[in-house]
């Protein structure tokens, strides 16, 4: 990490460039010789006050199975309490330059051995790929061809000033999904109902996880609460 000093007010773009992506990514052309590029935008304005960019708690690599709906949430939160929105974008290889030959993961090209019109998990409709603009949950229902895919999305940060929502900036997440031909059912979670308590009180609750196939289940927790000392 490093400290940055900005010369004055205005909007600034901070970017990161890496020489190569993984080879063999299915939904772009020649991924190994494609640079990895992400960027964040911040707005420096004393009228808006101090600002911290959103934090993303969940790692940007996830696994999926063909024919089974896949769900992912980046675990984004804002330490300032600003509102966040989410939208899909196309991965980039440089500033203002998207990767070549990008296809959405649910493109018909990845379902040539399936009936595309019935390729979702339930078998009653085409496969979908979307992000919830409010919660940030991504749903791919369901993957077709096994292999590696890359996707990207924006987490936009909003602050309400005098009854007007102001866009403070955004961060980009470029992540990888590894799809296997696995005969597997998702584990199920039994989560207690939402509870409201006063500050300083203790919550004692148990989350149960079980697997329809009898596989072992590991439960991971990602939360801003875990960062508080």
């Amino acid at each position: 990490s490093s400290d940055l000093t900005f010369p004055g007010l205005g909007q600034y773009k901070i970017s990161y460039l890496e020489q190569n992506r993984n080879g063999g990514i299915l939904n772009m052309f020649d991924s190994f010789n494609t640079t990895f590029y992400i960027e964040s935008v911040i707005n420096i304005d004393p009228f808006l006050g101090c600002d911290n960019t959103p934090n993303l708690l969940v790692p940007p690599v996830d696994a999926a199975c063909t024919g089974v709906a896949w769900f992912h949430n980046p675990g984004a939160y804002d330490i300032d309490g600003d509102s966040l929105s989410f939208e899909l974008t196309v991965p980039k290889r440089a500033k203002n330059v998207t990767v070549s030959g990008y296809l959405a993961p649910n493109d018909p090209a990845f379902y040539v051995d399936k009936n595309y019109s019935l390729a979702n998990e339930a078998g009653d409709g085409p496969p979908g790929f979307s992000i919830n603009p409010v919660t940030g949950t991504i749903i791919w229902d369901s993957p077709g061809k096994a292999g590696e895919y890359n996707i990207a999305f924006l987490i936009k940060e909003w602050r309400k000033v005098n009854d007007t929502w102001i866009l403070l900036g955004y961060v980009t997440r470029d992540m990888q999904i590894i799809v296997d031909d696995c005969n597997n059912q998702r584990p199920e979670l039994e989560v207690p109902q939402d509870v409201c308590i006063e500050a300083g009180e203790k919550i004692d609750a148990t989350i149960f996880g079980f697997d329809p196939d009898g596989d072992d289940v590991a439960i991971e927790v990602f939360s801003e609460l875990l960062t508080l000392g």
Side-chain angles (χ1 to χ4, degrees), residues 9-220:
L9 307 181
Q11 190 178 82
Y12 296 88
K13 183 174 291 185
I14 303 169
S15 60
Y16 171 80
L17 180 72
E18 189 171 310
Q19 188 63 37
N20 301 100
R21 292 175 180 265
N22 284 4
I25 296 173
L26 298 180
N27 62 328
M28 68 178 68
F29 175 74
D30 192 17
S31 61
F32 180 74
N33 291 308
T34 298
T35 49
F36 175 92
Y37 174 88
I38 54 175
E39 63 186 23
S40 297
V41 167
I42 61 173
N43 195 355
I44 298 179
D45 187 337
F47 175 73
L48 299 175
C50 295
D51 179 48
N52 293 274
T53 56
N55 292 313
L56 308 179
L57 299 177
V58 180
V61 179
D62 208 347
C65 290
T66 55
V68 180
W70 172 84
F71 303 83
H72 177 90
N73 191 290
Y77 76 93
D78 189 277
I79 194 171
D80 303 310
D82 296 319
S83 293
L84 303 179
S85 66
F86 304 82
E87 62 182 67
L88 293 170
T89 188
V90 177
K92 291 183 177 180
R93 55 190 172 96
K95 182 180 179 181
N96 299 325
V97 183
T98 58
V99 299
S100 299
Y102 179 78
L103 296 174
N106 65 328
D107 189 273
F110 307 120
Y111 298 82
V112 293
D113 59 344
K114 296 176 173 62
N115 183 342
Y116 186 78
S117 64
L118 301 173
N120 64 4
E121 180 178 314
D124 58 5
F129 186 82
S130 62
I131 188 168
N132 186 302
V134 177
T135 66
T137 296
I138 306 168
I139 302 177
W140 183 5
D141 183 9
S142 59
K145 184 178 180 180
E148 297 183 11
Y149 299 78
N150 264 79
I151 64 168
F153 52 95
L154 303 179
I155 302 98
K156 294 186 173 181
E157 187 182 13
W158 303 84
R159 180 172 296 177
K160 197 172 188 179
V161 180
N162 296 330
D163 295 324
T164 300
W165 287 102
I166 305 296
L167 178 62
L168 298 180
Y170 64 81
V171 298
T172 308
R173 166 146 286 191
D174 188 311
M175 69 170 291
Q176 188 169 68
I177 309 168
I178 303 171
V179 178
D180 286 321
D181 283 322
C182 36
N183 183 17
N184 182 63
Q185 299 181 74
R186 288 185 301 275
E188 302 289 340
L189 291 178
E190 292 183 1
V191 181
Q193 292 184 344
D194 291 347
V195 60
C196 182
I197 66 165
E198 294 183 3
E201 290 188 0
K202 179 181 178 181
I203 297 177
D204 189 354
T206 302
I207 297 175
F208 292 97
F210 60 93
D211 189 86
D213 301 313
D215 297 326
D216 292 336
V217 174
I219 298 177
E220 293 182 280

